[in-house]
Amino acid sequence: MTLSIGSTAPDFTADTTQGKISFHDWIGDSWAILFSHPKAFTPVCTTELGYMAGLKDEFAKRNTKIIGLSVDSSDDNNRWLPDIEEVGGNKVDYPVIGDTDLNVAKLYNMLPADSGDSAAGRTAANNATVRTVFIIGPDKKIRAMLLYPMSTGRNFDEVLRLLDSVQLTESKGVATPVNWKNGDDVIIPPSVSDEAAKEKYPNGWETVKPYLRRIKQPAN
């Protein structure tokens, strides 16, 4: 199954560093960030998991749970966690999935179907494509996907910014322009007519082009 924005995030049951979970049940009524890693004890991923741990409270403010995935056993991942804390200075207190049978990586189209059914003997290079970030809504639909090469550390500040945009645009029916940050002006979508916009935004807007109308970010 090919995944895209709007697809239902595949459900699965898996062992994690915090015990077994059923993914959709674990998400519950929250948003979720699933971010994957090709292997435990790899340098770039060590920095990423630690930085993400430092953002946990920021994601919690946004009703968003975070969960990692590594193509290793939960035992390996648990042995890795002290290194992550030492390097990044943040304790990883979110779950990390042990994908020993490659099931989750395949469900999420990060590994081909013929990759086998065991993490044993596989290297980070074998799993190089397991480097995706998924933003998933409470309805279990995928809202965004970011794919990175193994050699490039991900920008999780950008993931946080993207989450802010997705949540704002869904709740307020607006769009966000290039390099938008929380609090910046936003855009009235072209699908909203001027007549409808007058009712929704009685204080008016700035018309840059007939199809580009700017307003202050609506209050939450």
Side-chain angles (χ1 to χ4, degrees):
M1 177 178 65
T2 301
L3 297 180
S4 60
I5 292 174
S7 297
T8 298
D11 195 14
F12 58 84
T13 300
D15 288 322
T16 78
T17 51
Q18 297 182 3
K20 182 169 284 190
I21 66 160
S22 176
F23 188 50
H24 283 191
D25 289 344
W26 176 83
I27 294 174
D29 295 327
S30 301
W31 290 71
I33 305 286
L34 169 63
F35 60 110
S36 61
H37 304 271
K39 199 163 183 65
F41 300 102
T42 51
V44 174
C45 299
T46 297
T47 65
E48 290 179 333
L49 270 81
Y51 191 83
M52 194 63 153
L55 291 176
K56 184 174 184 294
D57 290 344
E58 289 298 321
F59 284 108
K61 290 176 187 176
R62 295 156 173 83
N63 188 32
T64 301
K65 297 179 177 180
I66 56 179
I67 189 166
L69 178 146
S70 180
V71 182
D72 278 301
S73 69
S74 291
D75 287 342
D76 285 339
N77 289 331
N78 272 314
R79 289 190 297 107
W80 184 25
L81 297 186
D83 285 3
I84 296 168
E85 182 175 359
E86 180 182 349
V87 170
N90 299 306
K91 183 177 181 180
V92 177
D93 53 6
Y94 55 82
V96 180
I97 298 162
D99 195 24
T100 53
D101 58 4
L102 314 183
N103 176 56
V104 182
K106 291 179 183 178
L107 276 176
Y108 281 78
N109 297 146
M110 294 182 285
L111 285 175
D114 61 359
S115 295
D117 56 7
S118 174
R122 295 181 66 85
T123 68
N126 296 139
N127 305 329
T129 52
V130 187
R131 290 280 291 155
T132 308
V133 180
F134 296 90
I135 295 180
I136 301 167
D139 59 358
K140 316 306 183 287
K141 302 288 187 183
I142 295 171
R143 298 300 203 277
M145 299 184 293
L146 298 170
L147 286 75
Y148 284 70
M150 188 169 63
S151 57
T152 300
R154 286 169 279 195
N155 186 335
F156 285 113
D157 292 334
E158 164 61 14
V159 175
L160 192 64
R161 187 197 75 90
L162 176 58
L163 175 65
D164 280 341
S165 175
V166 170
Q167 292 185 337
L168 175 70
T169 57
E170 285 198 13
S171 65
K172 300 300 182 180
V174 295
T176 56
V178 62
N179 295 333
W180 174 88
K181 293 181 181 178
N182 201 1
D184 289 351
D185 289 353
V186 298
I187 292 170
I188 301 173
S191 58
V192 179
S193 68
D194 282 350
E195 290 73 21
K198 287 176 184 176
E199 293 186 14
K200 193 170 185 180
Y201 309 109
N203 293 328
W205 56 83
E206 176 193 2
T207 300
V208 181
K209 293 288 183 182
Y211 54 84
L212 176 52
R213 297 163 295 173
R214 241 179 344 223
I215 57 168
K216 296 294 183 184
Q217 178 177 319
N220 291 329

